[in-house]
Amino acid sequence: MARSPDPMKIEAVTLREIRMPLVHFFETSFGRTTSRRILLVTVHTDGLAGWAECVAAENPFYNEEYIDTAWMVLNQYLAPSVLGCEIGSGRDVPARFAKVRGNRMAKAALENAIWDAEARQKNVPLWKLLGGTRREIACGVSIGIQDSIEQLLEKIAAELAAGYQRIKVKVKPGWDIAVLERIRRRWPDILLSCDANSAYRLEDADHLRRFDAFRLLMIEQPLWNDDIFAHACIQKTLKTAICLDESIRQARDAQAAIETGACRIINIKVGRVGGFSEAIAVHDVCQSHDVPVWCGGMLESGVGRAHNIALSTLPNFRLPGDVSASKRYWREDIIEPEVEVTPQGTIAISDKPGTGYTVREDLIRRLTVREETIRP
Ligand code: OSB
Ligand code: MG
């Protein structure tokens, strides 16, 4: 029997904030982002480094966390709970964080950095370590609210020409029916969905039923960010499948949402659910109920993007994800090679150990505005 590798002694954890301007602003129902403040986490163990990205945004608008709260929780609670410890695998990390409530994006960053280190230590691809099976993944794009419908149509045309398999547009009251009408008039048959990021209320149920005319693949998170019950009420009255994003923070939420009929599709974001271990658990709950999942995005740099790619290889990731090419976001990404999408709208999965992408530490150093290394 193969001897399992020695546990990893966690010697230090480095937190870094880098600033990266987006190639194009990204606007949702809760606001516009033009430049990212990104928190990167590095774990140092036995001469190896594991990297991960904390997907908490600049403001607590998508969920309760943002970069500054994540930094503090990592610094004061999460890093101390692994520093100096012998850890066998990424799987063993959530138990060490159990006392800390919520703060899932902060937890995910440190857990995923340890999975990243584990894959390197064992010299296996991260996607295999996670239980992945796919050799290529299907890609869609999420397109933000634009200054005009014409500008949006131009963007969609460019993404379709690039090969992307599914177009998702952000919607909110006042930027919805007219937008979807124009898209469907020009492209009657594309795979199309929309994401409201919680912009509607139960009083909008009649309005939301008008979306059924556009034969959408799904409508993502129409109601409150923390709700399951009200989504179950409106899903009954909609032809269009609801996909939950914000509401699904853990496998129990997925189970509740599926069993109450609150959604027919689930978006998995590894940061939102607290790390790879819980992301796999959500995936498995959905798979056992025959509910398809897809991988969501949070405007990640290459470090987080590479992790999303690895996660997307699990078998129940049956719909195109919001995992797209580096160049849609960044003039220059912090990994090598950059993430590229084929003309068929897929990303090919590497057989190399780890993520298959190299972190560009030189570039990261130049982009760093804040750095702190925590030791036992
Ligand atoms: O709801 O999926 C979302 C970006 C920031 C916050 C929330 C969301 C998004 C996206 C972008 O839709 C997906 C991406 O391209 O990274
Ligand atoms: Mg969403």
mmCIF file of all heavy atoms in Angstrom, residues 64-83:
data_model
loop_
_atom_site.group_PDB
_atom_site.id
_atom_site.type_symbol
_atom_site.label_atom_id
_atom_site.label_comp_id
_atom_site.label_asym_id
_atom_site.label_seq_id
_atom_site.Cartn_x
_atom_site.Cartn_y
_atom_site.Cartn_z
ATOM 1 N N GLU A 64 -21.700 39.746 3.150
ATOM 2 C CA GLU A 64 -21.292 40.541 4.308
ATOM 3 C C GLU A 64 -19.796 40.841 4.336
ATOM 4 O O GLU A 64 -19.362 41.767 5.020
ATOM 5 C CB GLU A 64 -21.646 39.802 5.611
ATOM 6 C CG GLU A 64 -23.120 39.575 5.854
ATOM 7 C CD GLU A 64 -23.665 38.299 5.212
ATOM 8 O OE1 GLU A 64 -23.027 37.746 4.267
ATOM 9 O OE2 GLU A 64 -24.740 37.847 5.656
ATOM 10 N N GLU A 65 -19.012 40.027 3.648
ATOM 11 C CA GLU A 65 -17.568 40.188 3.757
ATOM 12 C C GLU A 65 -17.028 41.214 2.774
ATOM 13 O O GLU A 65 -17.624 41.465 1.735
ATOM 14 C CB GLU A 65 -16.876 38.844 3.464
ATOM 15 C CG GLU A 65 -17.131 37.783 4.496
ATOM 16 C CD GLU A 65 -16.382 36.496 4.147
ATOM 17 O OE1 GLU A 65 -15.184 36.397 4.482
ATOM 18 O OE2 GLU A 65 -16.995 35.609 3.539
ATOM 19 N N TYR A 66 -15.897 41.783 3.093
ATOM 20 C CA TYR A 66 -15.113 42.528 2.108
ATOM 21 C C TYR A 66 -13.649 42.400 2.468
ATOM 22 O O TYR A 66 -13.321 41.815 3.511
ATOM 23 C CB TYR A 66 -15.602 43.968 1.948
ATOM 24 C CG TYR A 66 -15.384 44.895 3.111
ATOM 25 C CD1 TYR A 66 -14.449 45.919 3.026
ATOM 26 C CD2 TYR A 66 -16.132 44.771 4.279
ATOM 27 C CE1 TYR A 66 -14.259 46.806 4.066
ATOM 28 C CE2 TYR A 66 -15.949 45.653 5.326
ATOM 29 C CZ TYR A 66 -15.002 46.668 5.219
ATOM 30 O OH TYR A 66 -14.817 47.535 6.257
ATOM 31 N N ILE A 67 -12.788 42.882 1.610
ATOM 32 C CA ILE A 67 -11.362 42.576 1.746
ATOM 33 C C ILE A 67 -10.811 42.907 3.134
ATOM 34 O O ILE A 67 -10.027 42.143 3.691
ATOM 35 C CB ILE A 67 -10.526 43.251 0.621
ATOM 36 C CG1 ILE A 67 -9.037 42.966 0.818
ATOM 37 C CG2 ILE A 67 -10.810 44.742 0.503
ATOM 38 C CD1 ILE A 67 -8.140 43.331 -0.357
ATOM 39 N N ASP A 68 -11.244 44.013 3.720
ATOM 40 C CA ASP A 68 -10.659 44.412 5.007
ATOM 41 C C ASP A 68 -11.116 43.527 6.166
ATOM 42 O O ASP A 68 -10.348 43.261 7.076
ATOM 43 C CB ASP A 68 -10.965 45.887 5.287
ATOM 44 C CG ASP A 68 -10.329 46.800 4.232
ATOM 45 O OD1 ASP A 68 -9.149 46.591 3.904
ATOM 46 O OD2 ASP A 68 -11.028 47.688 3.719
ATOM 47 N N THR A 69 -12.362 43.053 6.118
ATOM 48 C CA THR A 69 -12.801 42.132 7.179
ATOM 49 C C THR A 69 -12.105 40.777 6.990
ATOM 50 O O THR A 69 -11.698 40.143 7.954
ATOM 51 C CB THR A 69 -14.334 41.917 7.170
ATOM 52 O OG1 THR A 69 -14.740 41.267 5.967
ATOM 53 C CG2 THR A 69 -15.067 43.235 7.324
ATOM 54 N N ALA A 70 -11.958 40.357 5.732
ATOM 55 C CA ALA A 70 -11.310 39.065 5.467
ATOM 56 C C ALA A 70 -9.863 39.095 5.948
ATOM 57 O O ALA A 70 -9.364 38.141 6.548
ATOM 58 C CB ALA A 70 -11.381 38.738 3.974
ATOM 59 N N TRP A 71 -9.204 40.215 5.696
ATOM 60 C CA TRP A 71 -7.800 40.357 6.129
ATOM 61 C C TRP A 71 -7.708 40.192 7.647
ATOM 62 O O TRP A 71 -6.877 39.452 8.167
ATOM 63 C CB TRP A 71 -7.271 41.738 5.685
ATOM 64 C CG TRP A 71 -5.814 41.949 5.965
ATOM 65 C CD1 TRP A 71 -5.226 42.063 7.186
ATOM 66 C CD2 TRP A 71 -4.766 42.043 4.987
ATOM 67 N NE1 TRP A 71 -3.869 42.237 7.045
ATOM 68 C CE2 TRP A 71 -3.557 42.237 5.713
ATOM 69 C CE3 TRP A 71 -4.725 42.004 3.590
ATOM 70 C CZ2 TRP A 71 -2.322 42.381 5.064
ATOM 71 C CZ3 TRP A 71 -3.490 42.158 2.964
ATOM 72 C CH2 TRP A 71 -2.310 42.333 3.695
ATOM 73 N N MET A 72 -8.580 40.867 8.371
ATOM 74 C CA MET A 72 -8.533 40.815 9.844
ATOM 75 C C MET A 72 -8.836 39.429 10.382
ATOM 76 O O MET A 72 -8.201 38.963 11.317
ATOM 77 C CB MET A 72 -9.517 41.826 10.443
ATOM 78 C CG MET A 72 -8.991 43.237 10.382
ATOM 79 S SD MET A 72 -9.804 44.262 11.597
ATOM 80 C CE MET A 72 -11.403 44.421 10.828
ATOM 81 N N VAL A 73 -9.845 38.784 9.790
ATOM 82 C CA VAL A 73 -10.230 37.447 10.280
ATOM 83 C C VAL A 73 -9.115 36.449 9.985
ATOM 84 O O VAL A 73 -8.786 35.597 10.814
ATOM 85 C CB VAL A 73 -11.580 37.017 9.662
ATOM 86 C CG1 VAL A 73 -11.862 35.549 9.930
ATOM 87 C CG2 VAL A 73 -12.705 37.878 10.228
ATOM 88 N N LEU A 74 -8.510 36.571 8.816
ATOM 89 C CA LEU A 74 -7.388 35.684 8.480
ATOM 90 C C LEU A 74 -6.235 35.911 9.449
ATOM 91 O O LEU A 74 -5.646 34.968 9.986
ATOM 92 C CB LEU A 74 -6.929 35.940 7.034
ATOM 93 C CG LEU A 74 -7.762 35.237 5.971
ATOM 94 C CD1 LEU A 74 -7.646 35.932 4.611
ATOM 95 C CD2 LEU A 74 -7.331 33.766 5.848
ATOM 96 N N ASN A 75 -5.928 37.153 9.657
ATOM 97 C CA ASN A 75 -4.793 37.538 10.478
ATOM 98 C C ASN A 75 -4.991 37.148 11.948
ATOM 99 O O ASN A 75 -4.101 36.601 12.596
ATOM 100 C CB ASN A 75 -4.628 39.059 10.320
ATOM 101 C CG ASN A 75 -3.461 39.608 11.078
ATOM 102 O OD1 ASN A 75 -2.465 38.904 11.250
ATOM 103 N ND2 ASN A 75 -3.570 40.821 11.535
ATOM 104 N N GLN A 76 -6.198 37.409 12.479
ATOM 105 C CA GLN A 76 -6.408 37.254 13.925
ATOM 106 C C GLN A 76 -6.930 35.875 14.335
ATOM 107 O O GLN A 76 -6.735 35.454 15.460
ATOM 108 C CB GLN A 76 -7.366 38.339 14.428
ATOM 109 C CG GLN A 76 -6.759 39.735 14.280
ATOM 110 C CD GLN A 76 -7.737 40.837 14.664
ATOM 111 O OE1 GLN A 76 -8.709 40.600 15.371
ATOM 112 N NE2 GLN A 76 -7.486 42.044 14.183
ATOM 113 N N TYR A 77 -7.624 35.199 13.421
ATOM 114 C CA TYR A 77 -8.251 33.918 13.815
ATOM 115 C C TYR A 77 -7.847 32.721 12.963
ATOM 116 O O TYR A 77 -7.531 31.661 13.486
ATOM 117 C CB TYR A 77 -9.787 34.051 13.778
ATOM 118 C CG TYR A 77 -10.302 34.953 14.857
ATOM 119 C CD1 TYR A 77 -10.538 36.295 14.587
ATOM 120 C CD2 TYR A 77 -10.510 34.467 16.143
ATOM 121 C CE1 TYR A 77 -10.983 37.146 15.591
ATOM 122 C CE2 TYR A 77 -10.959 35.315 17.155
ATOM 123 C CZ TYR A 77 -11.194 36.650 16.869
ATOM 124 O OH TYR A 77 -11.622 37.473 17.867
ATOM 125 N N LEU A 78 -7.898 32.875 11.648
ATOM 126 C CA LEU A 78 -7.736 31.677 10.808
ATOM 127 C C LEU A 78 -6.272 31.261 10.685
ATOM 128 O O LEU A 78 -5.941 30.097 10.925
ATOM 129 C CB LEU A 78 -8.371 31.915 9.427
ATOM 130 C CG LEU A 78 -9.849 32.345 9.460
ATOM 131 C CD1 LEU A 78 -10.372 32.593 8.050
ATOM 132 C CD2 LEU A 78 -10.709 31.299 10.176
ATOM 133 N N ALA A 79 -5.401 32.190 10.354
ATOM 134 C CA ALA A 79 -3.981 31.824 10.242
ATOM 135 C C ALA A 79 -3.463 31.237 11.550
ATOM 136 O O ALA A 79 -2.825 30.170 11.539
ATOM 137 C CB ALA A 79 -3.157 33.025 9.772
ATOM 138 N N PRO A 80 -3.741 31.870 12.723
ATOM 139 C CA PRO A 80 -3.252 31.273 13.980
ATOM 140 C C PRO A 80 -3.770 29.852 14.223
ATOM 141 O O PRO A 80 -3.117 29.077 14.921
ATOM 142 C CB PRO A 80 -3.776 32.233 15.062
ATOM 143 C CG PRO A 80 -3.911 33.551 14.339
ATOM 144 C CD PRO A 80 -4.343 33.204 12.946
ATOM 145 N N SER A 81 -4.920 29.491 13.649
ATOM 146 C CA SER A 81 -5.457 28.152 13.910
ATOM 147 C C SER A 81 -4.781 27.062 13.070
ATOM 148 O O SER A 81 -5.023 25.879 13.293
ATOM 149 C CB SER A 81 -6.976 28.129 13.694
ATOM 150 O OG SER A 81 -7.269 28.194 12.317
ATOM 151 N N VAL A 82 -3.953 27.449 12.110
ATOM 152 C CA VAL A 82 -3.196 26.429 11.353
ATOM 153 C C VAL A 82 -1.678 26.570 11.512
ATOM 154 O O VAL A 82 -0.930 25.626 11.245
ATOM 155 C CB VAL A 82 -3.532 26.456 9.827
ATOM 156 C CG1 VAL A 82 -5.001 26.136 9.591
ATOM 157 C CG2 VAL A 82 -3.160 27.785 9.173
ATOM 158 N N LEU A 83 -1.217 27.738 11.941
ATOM 159 C CA LEU A 83 0.228 27.976 12.031
ATOM 160 C C LEU A 83 0.896 27.046 13.037
ATOM 161 O O LEU A 83 0.374 26.845 14.140
ATOM 162 C CB LEU A 83 0.506 29.429 12.410
ATOM 163 C CG LEU A 83 0.458 30.393 11.223
ATOM 164 C CD1 LEU A 83 0.387 31.841 11.715
ATOM 165 C CD2 LEU A 83 1.654 30.196 10.304
#
